[in-house]
Amino acid sequence: MAPIRLAIVGLGKIARDQHLGAIEATDGIELVAVASRHARLDGVACFHEIGDLLDSDVEIDAVSLCTPPQGRFSQAKAALDAGKHVMLEKPPGATLSEVYALEALARRKGLTLFSTWHSRAAAAVEPARALLAKRKIRSVAVEWKEDVRHWHPGQAWIWEPGGLGVFDPGINALSIVTRILPEEFHLTRSELTFPANRAAPIAASLVFETDGGVPVSAEFDWRQTGPQTWDIRVETDEGSVVLTHGGSRLFVNGESVIVEEDKEYRNLYRDFVALVMKGAIDTDFSPLVHVADAFMLGRRIQTAAFED
Ligand code: NAP
């Protein structure tokens, strides 16, 4: 079968850091175009916006949207309306209603919609899920603390409504927890810390409970300098199961079991090719549901203004 002809929309940090290399390394897909207002890429057709691309003679089968979540709905809708398969960066959109509308549209059109969660594609996630299916879980504690100035320099959109603030990384943790826990969980308490001059939180403290009454806590903070923390600690009746480094390392009862180099985005493009081949959809929006709940139930605390 001919490779999927793909266009990237939004040639920013993640497109350059991860998508370009992962597409290159994946069989069955090739990059033929880019749509980005301020960036060009040698060797492929370049357009200002997705509309110009879709109106052009350049033939594509799919688009990968690497733009910020605000505004992604209209790009995804335009692509689906034009008969193109769509891969969405995380978070899949700025609201729940828009992502469910996209899912319905993709189904009506018989097109692939892949709502990606790159952290779920990390090496320790599926082994942790298999292990936890066999153990009785006592508690879950998430600590996701990083330095926003290092990871998101100059990204204004991330502080705007819909940009999610600290939930931009925090949703990665939730995408892992929703995958590895054998039962559903729901939010019972949320405290969100907003800088006085920003529309999105810089820290969040969350408490959840599983259907079986197991406590799940999550601490997200964007003010951590020095070593960064992306850990999920699960206590079970047979000892601890700990994922560190964003899900790429697994420790079971204190023993290191998995340490793997990052292949998250290669795994995502491999999965996208398989979905398109099968004509399937993969849209689990549960991490975004938990983030929406955190805003809905959140007590707002104001802190000092944040300057870049
Ligand atoms: P970014 O560096 O700001 O890049 C996004 C690109 O989208 C921009 O370069 C811009 O290119 C285009 N764009 C279109 N409309 C825009 C708008 N209204 N405001 C700003 N840019 C707009 O952001 P990113 O870090 O790549 O993040 C993009 C998505 O990937 C987000 O959903 C994020 O959560 C996700 N992600 C990021 C990372 C990371 O480490 N940065 C990791 C995983 C996932 P033009 O100006 O050329 O159009």
Side-chain angles (χ1 to χ4, degrees):
M1 206 169 151
I4 297 162
R5 295 164 299 183
L6 181 78
I8 281 186
V9 180
L11 193 63
K13 185 171 189 312
I14 198 60
R16 289 186 188 278
D17 286 359
Q18 295 287 350
H19 287 252
L20 295 180
I23 294 162
E24 185 75 37
T26 305
D27 291 335
I29 192 159
E30 62 178 359
L31 186 69
V32 298
V34 160
S36 207
R37 300 159 310 171
H38 303 98
R40 297 180 61 79
L41 190 67
D42 287 344
V44 301
C46 292
F47 299 90
H48 190 69
E49 302 211 54
I50 188 170
D52 307 326
L53 164 67
L54 295 173
D55 289 344
S56 79
D57 295 337
V58 173
E59 292 192 14
I60 59 166
D61 306 300
V63 298
S64 181
L65 299 184
C66 304
T67 46
Q70 311 100 318
R72 203 166 313 128
F73 172 76
S74 59
Q75 297 159 349
K77 184 173 183 309
L80 291 168
D81 280 338
K84 314 302 176 194
H85 306 290
V86 173
M87 177 160 154
L88 300 170
E89 250 301 351
K90 50 66 44 172
T95 69
L96 289 174
S97 51
E98 71 182 41
V99 297
Y100 284 112
L102 287 181
E103 181 185 15
L105 177 59
R107 284 193 197 286
R108 279 201 303 279
K109 293 268 188 184
L111 293 164
T112 291
L113 179 66
F114 184 20
S115 172
T116 66
W117 300 106
H118 67 88
S119 293
R120 270 191 192 172
V125 174
E126 290 309 310
R129 175 182 161 91
L131 198 61
L132 292 173
K134 292 184 260 167
R135 292 189 177 192
K136 186 169 163 40
I137 298 171
R138 297 213 166 114
S139 67
V140 182
V142 177
E143 246 193 299
W144 224 254
K145 297 180 178 175
E146 61 175 50
D147 181 357
V148 64
R149 289 186 177 84
H150 178 81
W151 298 104
H152 301 283
Q155 289 183 347
W157 61 263
I158 216 160
W159 291 107
E160 292 300 318
L164 298 190
V166 76
F167 288 99
D168 178 80
I171 202 169
N172 298 335
L174 293 170
S175 76
I176 295 177
V177 179
T178 47
R179 180 71 190 157
I180 63 176
L181 291 193
E183 55 182 9
E184 303 277 313
F185 57 94
H186 61 274
L187 188 73
T188 59
R189 191 163 63 81
S190 166
E191 280 184 4
L192 309 177
T193 303
F194 286 73
N197 59 343
R198 303 285 173 163
I202 197 165
S205 183
L206 311 174
V207 179
F208 304 87
E209 190 178 285
T210 70
D211 291 352
V214 174
V216 178
S217 66
E219 296 295 328
F220 302 153
D221 205 315
W222 246 352
R223 296 167 294 192
Q224 178 149 305
T225 53
Q228 307 284 279
T229 310
W230 297 292
D231 296 349
I232 297 168
R233 183 174 190 89
V234 185
E235 298 297 343
T236 78
D237 56 345
E238 295 170 60
S240 61
V241 176
V242 181
L243 295 90
T244 69
H245 297 78
S248 61
R249 300 191 189 178
L250 181 63
F251 295 82
V252 179
N253 303 341
E255 295 281 320
S256 173
V257 178
I258 293 176
V259 177
E260 198 181 278
E261 57 150 334
D262 173 17
K263 287 194 206 144
E264 294 173 15
Y265 279 83
R266 276 176 279 167
N267 293 341
L268 292 181
Y269 276 100
R270 177 202 62 202
D271 292 349
F272 185 56
V273 170
L275 287 168
V276 171
M277 299 285 181
K278 282 190 291 190
I281 280 177
D282 183 342
T283 49
D284 175 6
F285 299 131
S286 59
L288 191 63
V289 170
H290 288 302
V291 170
D293 279 1
F295 279 95
M296 211 184 296
L297 202 61
R299 180 178 298 282
R300 186 186 170 114
I301 298 163
Q302 187 164 306
T303 191
F306 176 86
E307 307 301 343
D308 284 319

